[in-house]
Amino acid sequence: MLELILLMQAAVADPQVLARGEKLFAQSCSVGYCHGVAGAAARGPRLAGRTFTREYLVEVTRDGIPRSAMPGWKGRMSEADIHAVVEYVASLGTVTGDAGPAAAPAGETEDLTHERNRFLESCGICHAGRGVGKAVGPELSGRTEAEIRAGLVARRPALVKRLELASGESFPAVTGSDDGDWVQVFDLSVAPPVLLTLPRSEIRQWKDHNEWQHPQLAHDAPLASIARYLSAR
Amino acid sequence: MMRAGLLLVLAAALCAQDGATHKDWPHYGGTYQFWRYSALEQVNRSNVKRLVAKWSFQTGESDEGLQATPIVIDGVMYISTSWNRVFAIDAATGREIWAYYYQNPKTIGVIYSPWNRGVAVGAGRVFMGTLDNHVVALDQKTGREVWKVEVQPLAQCGCNITGAPLVVKDKVIVGVTGGDSAHRGYLTAYNVRTGRLAWKFYTIPGPGEPGHETWQGDSWKYGGGATWMTGSYDPELNHVYWAVGNPAADFYGGSRKGDNLYTDSIVALDADTGKLKWYHQQVPHDVWDWDTAYEPVLLDLRVNGKPRKLLLNVNKGGYVFVVDRTNGEFVSAWPLVKNLNWITGIDSKGNLLGRNEPKVGVPTTICPAIGGGRSWNQGAWSPRTGLYYTTGIEWCQEVIAQKEEPREGREFFGGTFKLKQTPDKDAHSHLGAYDPLTGKRKWLYRSKYPLLASQLATAGDLIFTGDPEGNFFALDARSGEKLWNFQTGSGHRGSAVSYEVNGQQYIATPSGWGSAVAGLMGQLWPEAERFRKGSTIFVFGLP
């Protein structure tokens, strides 16, 4: 009896939510080789005709499945859209569990994907910021446009040295990890930086680097947009 | 006089094209010419029945099977698996020499994963592209990481690397996926020793470059054009040949009106600079996801009595294109499959006739299905028989296009598809032997399920390949007759190779079912959902 009630609950999804879910599923889930149309078998598992708990569907849609091609949609889709997709997938098979909140929770954050991407393709190739990018140079989270600009034009950033190898070759570099026999360094000769793993014996010396400047691609980057991303709450 | 004669003979020998492998299998396609043909003949039609298993190697990583091509150099085999494991193995005994497990993030979040199709070896390094879009160089002797560089942030482009790199002189050339993402494709080359970026060729011309006018508005920024498989190289012309994939969105072209260069094209690039020498576009303004992504095969053949340097390429739409590789001039095209309705034909200049395009919101039956008239598994060419051996798949699909706005680095497909039977209710697959210029068929081997493994041709006049049910088998290259079969226990999606150690010829094959196209099979063959995964290398030789 309880099971019947749960099943009935599952069946009363809002038709508008279902339609939204169906559209989102077609655009984001049954694309290419992932899930097939209407949950048919494809590269990803068949969803049609299967039994899931709603909690599982929400969790997998929101957070993805580690070590699989299934991405987490949190941050890529609003909570309301995730809910709509779950309702649609639920309609393809049998689902147990509560319908959950249909409305988006408060505090849905602004979509700064465009700004994040501008960061990733410029500063982010050498700097981390808000959990993305490469931690070669200093972390940039929270920096304002003026602060970024000041850092960008500063000659001779303290971190960048000239590394001289035993072979006589030398290049601008930043130190990475060091486990005694093997040393990791970032070669900054050309963007993007190259992480080298060198035997200690190959390193002759580290020297100050008085001429190093940020590469042109950093100067050309849309800094206002990037600062908006870095200083977002 | 005598001296002049000798010089002439020498010159002729130097000019003769040798795309065959000998003791080693040094490149992804065997040699730079991508023949997938071994000159070894110890194993041949008369003794192949006596082949026995010599050793096997379990990689321990069976997620989506084993899709790679082993590289063999000086008795050592190098192979990569899903999730970017690399192994160096004693090619005579199967003993592990070293292993390298790349640390990927827990989730990749793009559809192009978690497989890897192979490594490249050169300059004392083993090179691999990774699921999180990096290139790593390992020490060939120890497997220790020497350098690592990020190609482009995965989160930004929705692209990564699953194909094998190609080493040419002092550079390692690496292609990326991303053809079904809102992304602008490219090919990059890195210095083998330092990892420094040497050149980058965008497959979609930017503002001010020729070809840019073939894209509407901002569509060039999101137009796909992935370089997800491996190219070939002509040392004499110093051309690197690479096949460029489909434009994005795949099924909806309404917001990218124009030919969309250089998607669905073969591009010839200067190996040193990455500068475009010529291109040949197979499918202008593609709305079917007909990647020109597969291997460019370099053949020197006579056309109407005149010797020509040619390039053969199988398009995913089921047509085989042959062009002149010195300048990209169209030579011929022929259909590989019977079920083909997206065009009615191709004229003598290479133009597509009678396009049957998907419609927005209305189902259209398109044959072949999206998995292709052939998948990315590679064919083989035998200079002994003069035949090109490749697989084909007879299947159809129902496509519904949908209008979509690009979201940078995100899925950008522009429609959905559902596999469908062929009109004569006979979806199946085949392996055929063809005249490379005309497509005239010598023989055809029929398979119940799509054949998704590469072919290996040998001078023993044998064709080796595997099927989804785990059979690894040898056919007579001249008749197509099955001469030998071995059940490896899991389906075949990789590429067999042949090599020699201490006077013994070996035939090696990856075995392990998986991949995107393998996953789609369940829509037509429900039992395929239960095909067992695996990830093992099997190696055979005469007793």
Side-chain angles (χ1 to χ4, degrees):
Chain A
M1 190 59 195
L2 179 66
E3 212 177 302
L4 185 67
I5 291 167
L6 287 173
L7 284 173
M8 281 171 69
Q9 271 186 354
V12 293
D14 180 342
Q16 278 190 327
V17 171
L18 267 185
R20 170 96 188 133
E22 184 174 9
K23 189 174 171 225
L24 287 163
F25 190 86
Q27 190 172 355
S28 295
C29 311
S30 69
V31 293
Y33 301 91
C34 295
H35 298 289
V37 169
R43 181 347 205 15
R46 175 172 50 81
L47 301 175
R50 293 184 59 186
T51 301
F52 296 107
T53 67
R54 183 170 265 104
E55 291 72 21
Y56 175 77
L57 289 180
V58 170
E59 184 192 314
V60 165
T61 310
R62 191 184 279 150
D63 301 328
I65 300 175
R67 265 185 70 81
S68 84
M70 176 66 192
W73 294 88
K74 187 179 159 186
R76 303 197 205 191
M77 272 188 198
S78 68
E79 277 294 315
D81 283 350
I82 289 175
H83 173 80
V85 168
V86 167
E87 285 312 309
Y88 175 68
V89 173
S91 76
L92 301 173
T94 308
V95 153
T96 57
D98 290 338
E108 194 81 63
T109 48
E110 189 189 359
D111 182 7
L112 289 173
T113 310
H114 175 80
E115 288 77 5
R116 184 206 60 177
N117 286 342
R118 302 293 72 76
F119 169 74
L120 279 175
E121 71 188 0
S122 55
C123 313
I125 66 172
C126 286
H127 297 271
R130 299 188 63 215
V132 299
K134 286 262 176 202
V136 179
E139 161 84 31
L140 297 183
S141 298
R143 301 273 176 111
T144 64
E145 188 184 347
E147 286 167 343
I148 298 169
R149 203 171 290 282
L152 191 55
V153 296
R155 287 245 165 181
R156 210 198 130 197
L159 229 60
V160 181
K161 306 278 186 197
R162 177 162 284 281
L163 172 61
E164 205 175 287
L165 299 181
S167 63
E169 198 181 344
S170 76
F171 49 84
V174 168
T175 51
S177 70
D178 186 331
D179 81 347
D181 293 341
W182 296 86
V183 183
Q184 291 201 313
V185 304
F186 291 97
D187 173 358
L188 305 187
S189 304
V190 226
V194 182
L195 177 64
L196 302 173
T197 305
L198 301 167
R200 179 170 297 285
S201 58
E202 270 194 39
I203 291 182
R204 183 182 289 165
Q205 60 177 332
W206 290 90
K207 286 175 156 177
D208 281 345
H209 197 316
N210 298 318
E211 314 88 52
W212 194 81
Q213 293 177 52
H214 280 88
Q216 192 56 39
L217 75 92
H219 293 274
D220 295 343
L223 298 185
S225 188
I226 288 166
R228 216 158 95 70
Y229 168 71
L230 291 170
S231 53
R233 193 172 53 86
Chain B
M1 194 63 203
M2 198 140 141
R3 196 180 173 121
L6 187 68
L7 273 174
L8 273 176
V9 171
L10 266 177
L14 285 172
C15 288
Q17 191 197 22
D18 187 13
T21 62
H22 297 271
K23 282 188 172 179
D24 295 341
W25 190 276
H27 296 286
Y28 183 73
T31 58
Y32 279 137
Q33 287 89 339
F34 226 124
W35 288 3
R36 293 196 47 76
Y37 170 80
S38 166
L40 301 177
E41 54 187 1
Q42 189 178 74
V43 179
N44 55 50
R45 289 189 292 175
S46 63
N47 63 16
V48 67
K49 281 191 167 61
R50 293 169 50 222
L51 268 191
V52 292
K54 292 289 182 179
W55 56 265
S56 73
F57 184 93
Q58 310 270 1
T59 74
E61 177 53 81
S62 64
D63 202 359
E64 295 296 348
L66 186 57
Q67 304 185 28
T69 302
I71 299 293
V72 184
I73 294 173
D74 293 334
V76 179
M77 177 184 291
Y78 305 88
I79 191 161
S80 57
T81 73
S82 288
W83 293 103
N84 298 122
R85 291 184 180 185
V86 188
F87 296 95
I89 305 163
D90 182 321
T93 66
R95 176 183 61 90
E96 178 183 308
I97 297 168
W98 55 255
Y100 168 84
Y101 291 10
Y102 181 77
Q103 289 299 310
N104 269 299
K106 278 211 173 62
T107 48
I108 301 300
V110 293
I111 61 177
Y112 329 102
S113 66
W115 45 80
N116 182 276
R117 302 201 176 108
V119 297
V121 183
R125 307 268 187 267
V126 178
F127 302 97
M128 173 175 64
T130 72
L131 294 176
D132 66 345
N133 214 21
H134 288 67
V135 180
V136 290
L138 312 177
D139 184 287
Q140 191 182 343
K141 291 264 187 300
T142 63
R144 183 177 273 277
E145 191 178 296
V146 179
W147 59 253
K148 170 179 162 179
V149 66
E150 182 170 45
V151 175
Q152 190 184 7
L154 169 62
Q156 183 204 346
C157 65
C159 67
N160 65 356
I161 306 164
T162 55
L166 182 71
V167 173
V168 173
K169 297 193 271 191
D170 65 343
K171 295 180 182 67
V172 54
I173 303 169
V174 187
V176 290
T177 67
D180 311 323
S181 308
H183 149 77
R184 181 186 178 203
Y186 52 81
L187 188 67
T188 49
Y190 301 86
N191 181 286
V192 287
R193 194 177 60 82
T194 63
R196 292 175 192 159
L197 181 67
W199 54 254
K200 184 171 190 174
F201 171 77
Y202 279 101
T203 58
I204 300 180
E209 293 175 315
H212 183 68
E213 70 288 352
T214 64
W215 294 86
Q216 180 188 353
D218 269 356
S219 62
W220 62 278
K221 290 183 185 169
Y222 312 109
T227 49
W228 55 279
M229 287 301 295
T230 307
S232 51
Y233 173 61
D234 184 324
E236 207 179 301
L237 295 165
N238 200 34
H239 287 175
V240 167
Y241 302 102
W242 218 274
V244 181
N246 61 284
D250 299 46
F251 293 141
Y252 178 72
S255 51
R256 53 170 171 84
K257 293 193 179 78
D259 281 354
N260 306 145
L261 294 174
Y262 301 102
T263 62
D264 287 354
S265 302
I266 296 288
V267 292
L269 308 178
D270 181 293
D272 302 317
T273 64
K275 293 270 182 293
L276 182 72
K277 305 299 280 189
W278 58 257
Y279 72 92
H280 176 261
Q281 189 175 41
Q282 298 171 350
V283 186
H285 191 71
D286 175 11
V287 285
W288 303 274
D289 188 14
W290 292 153
D291 287 76
T292 301
Y294 306 157
E295 75 282 7
V297 185
L298 310 187
L299 303 173
D300 288 358
L301 299 173
R302 283 183 181 277
V303 181
N304 300 325
K306 196 176 143 220
R308 289 184 76 172
K309 293 177 185 295
L310 303 173
L311 183 153
L312 175 147
N313 175 260
V314 177
N315 177 278
K316 194 175 169 194
Y319 259 93
V320 180
F321 288 81
V322 181
V323 297
D324 184 317
R325 74 170 182 276
T326 65
N327 57 18
E329 190 192 344
F330 175 82
V331 173
S332 68
W334 49 273
L336 183 60
V337 288
K338 192 175 70 178
N339 291 281
L340 196 155
N341 74 351
W342 58 280
I343 45 171
T344 54
I346 295 180
D347 74 12
S348 62
K349 299 263 194 303
N351 300 308
L352 308 183
L353 306 171
R355 292 164 68 108
N356 171 26
E357 302 190 356
K359 295 160 196 70
V360 174
V362 182
T364 307
T365 298
I366 302 287
C367 313
I370 188 161
R374 197 199 81 182
S375 187
W376 56 261
N377 50 298
Q378 299 119 37
W381 156 256
S382 168
R384 280 175 56 87
T385 62
L387 296 168
Y388 179 65
Y389 303 88
T390 194
T391 54
I393 312 173
E394 306 290 348
W395 53 359
C396 301
Q397 65 187 350
E398 200 172 84
V399 176
I400 305 176
Q402 64 192 14
K403 195 171 184 307
E404 275 174 26
E405 292 307 316
R407 298 161 300 166
E408 187 181 3
R410 299 272 303 277
E411 314 72 34
F412 194 32
F413 224 82
T416 57
F417 63 88
K418 196 174 175 181
L419 298 200
K420 216 178 146 178
Q421 259 294 352
T422 55
D424 60 358
K425 305 273 178 284
D426 187 29
H428 69 282
S429 180
H430 43 71
L431 163 56
Y434 303 92
D435 178 292
L437 288 176
T438 64
K440 185 165 181 270
R441 200 169 70 203
K442 181 85 184 289
W443 53 258
L444 197 71
Y445 170 86
R446 188 186 160 102
S447 166
K448 180 179 178 186
Y449 299 113
L451 290 169
L452 298 174
S454 298
Q455 282 64 61
L456 163 68
T458 71
D461 284 345
L462 296 167
I463 303 298
F464 288 91
T465 196
D467 71 20
E469 295 174 281
N471 296 296
F472 182 62
F473 53 93
L475 304 182
D476 184 324
R478 296 184 184 276
S479 68
E481 186 195 345
K482 193 183 256 190
L483 301 176
W484 173 81
N485 189 88
F486 186 94
Q487 173 57 250
T488 63
S490 180
H492 291 255
R493 189 57 168 126
S495 310
V497 303
S498 188
Y499 58 90
E500 184 187 306
V501 185
N502 299 328
Q504 168 118 39
Q505 181 186 356
Y506 294 93
I507 314 285
T509 186
S511 162
W513 188 237
S515 82
V517 174
L520 290 182
M521 277 170 55
Q523 292 183 16
L524 275 179
W525 297 275
E527 66 274 24
E529 273 188 61
R530 297 190 304 272
F531 284 3
R532 296 182 313 278
K533 290 183 175 172
S535 182
T536 308
I537 301 157
F538 279 88
V539 178
F540 305 92
L542 292 172

